[in-house]
Amino acid sequence: MAVRRALHHVDVEFLWELLRAIPAAEASEGHDIEAGRDITKVTALLGDALDSGKGEVAEALRPLYLDYLEKHGVGS
C-alpha cells in the first residue's frame, strides 16, 4: 500500500528511502548475495522497490511502510 501511494503521489523522497533500505532488509533476511548486488545496481533496486511488498523482505521493511502510511494518514 505504501509503494502504491508513493508512486501515485510521485513521492520520490519515500521511494529513495525505500531503495536505500532494501539492501539492509534483504541482508537481515539472509539474502546477502542479493543485498550486495542491489547496492551496485540501481535497476535491481527499482525492480525490488516495485516488488518490495512481497515475501520476507516485505516483513523486514514493514516498519518503514507503516511509518510512511501513518505520516500520510492512510489506513487510519
Side-chain angles (χ1 to χ4, degrees), residues 45-59:
L45 281 172
L46 291 173
D48 283 350
L50 295 174
D51 292 333
S52 64
K54 303 171 188 161
E56 295 170 339
V57 173
E59 286 304 311

Side-chain angles (χ1 to χ4, degrees), residues 1-70:
M1 191 183 331
V3 172
R4 282 194 310 264
R5 186 203 184 279
L7 289 170
H8 179 75
H9 292 278
V10 192
D11 189 342
V12 177
E13 183 179 349
F14 173 75
L15 294 171
W16 182 246
E17 183 179 356
L18 176 62
L19 292 175
R20 291 178 43 207
I22 287 172
E26 287 181 335
S28 75
E29 294 301 322
H31 302 277
D32 295 330
I33 293 172
E34 287 180 41
R37 181 175 53 235
D38 285 351
I39 290 170
T40 60
K41 304 238 183 212
V42 173
T43 54
L45 281 172
L46 291 173
D48 283 350
L50 295 174
D51 292 333
S52 64
K54 303 171 188 161
E56 295 170 339
V57 173
E59 286 304 311
L61 293 169
R62 186 179 187 87
L64 180 67
Y65 295 142
L66 293 176
D67 181 58
Y68 177 78
L69 293 171
E70 184 178 303

